[in-house]
Amino acid sequence: MSEYEIIIKLVLAALLGGFIGLERESLSRPAGLRTYTLVCVGSALAMVVSLDMYYQYYQTVNADPGRIAAQVVSGIGFLGAGTIMREGATVRGLTTAAGLWVVACIGLAVGAGLYLPAIVTTAVILF
């Protein structure tokens, strides 16, 4: 994977995560532009690193490029859990937690080169 392709992936992830973050920020939600952008770019980078490591060592080591991606999904669960608050009979933050999880998945898709599914998912989330 060339350095230009990696840069394109990271920039696209920042844009897609940023669009969703802007929408959430416009509604005055706890997580906004920066949080969603960071989660999406971080997920994309994790997938790029995972794939790059696989392509470097697949001939000498039995490697699985999905392992790092799986840990991103688990880790985002902890981040999302921190956004969920219970106030009496009301539970707040579930949509934020779900949004962070799906943005992480969008970042993984971008990192894996699945640009169209990532863009379509972003559009579905926004509309």
Side-chain angles (χ1 to χ4, degrees):
M1 189 175 339
S2 74
E3 290 178 351
Y4 294 113
E5 187 177 0
I6 293 170
I7 291 169
I8 289 169
K9 287 180 179 190
L10 296 177
V11 169
L12 179 60
L15 290 172
L16 296 179
F19 290 146
I20 295 172
L22 273 175
E23 188 269 339
R24 299 296 294 163
E25 198 166 281
S26 72
L27 299 173
S28 299
R29 298 298 179 209
L33 173 67
R34 289 174 48 188
T35 303
Y36 279 80
T37 301
L38 287 170
V39 167
C40 201
V41 171
S43 299
L45 180 62
M47 193 61 176
V48 166
V49 168
S50 183
L51 288 171
D52 194 58
M53 285 174 43
Y54 172 74
Y55 290 131
Q56 282 184 17
Y57 302 110
Y58 76 95
Q59 294 174 334
T60 58
V61 178
N62 187 10
D64 178 9
R67 285 185 148 182
I68 293 176
Q71 297 311 309
V72 168
V73 174
S74 298
I76 292 300
F78 285 102
L79 182 63
T83 67
I84 299 172
M85 301 291 170
R86 184 171 170 214
E87 298 171 1
T90 305
V91 177
R92 303 180 58 90
L94 287 174
T95 304
T96 299
L100 290 170
W101 184 82
V102 77
V103 164
C105 293
I106 290 169
L108 291 173
V110 171
L114 302 170
Y115 306 124
L116 184 60
I119 292 167
V120 169
T121 302
T122 301
V124 167
I125 297 302
L126 291 173
F127 300 108

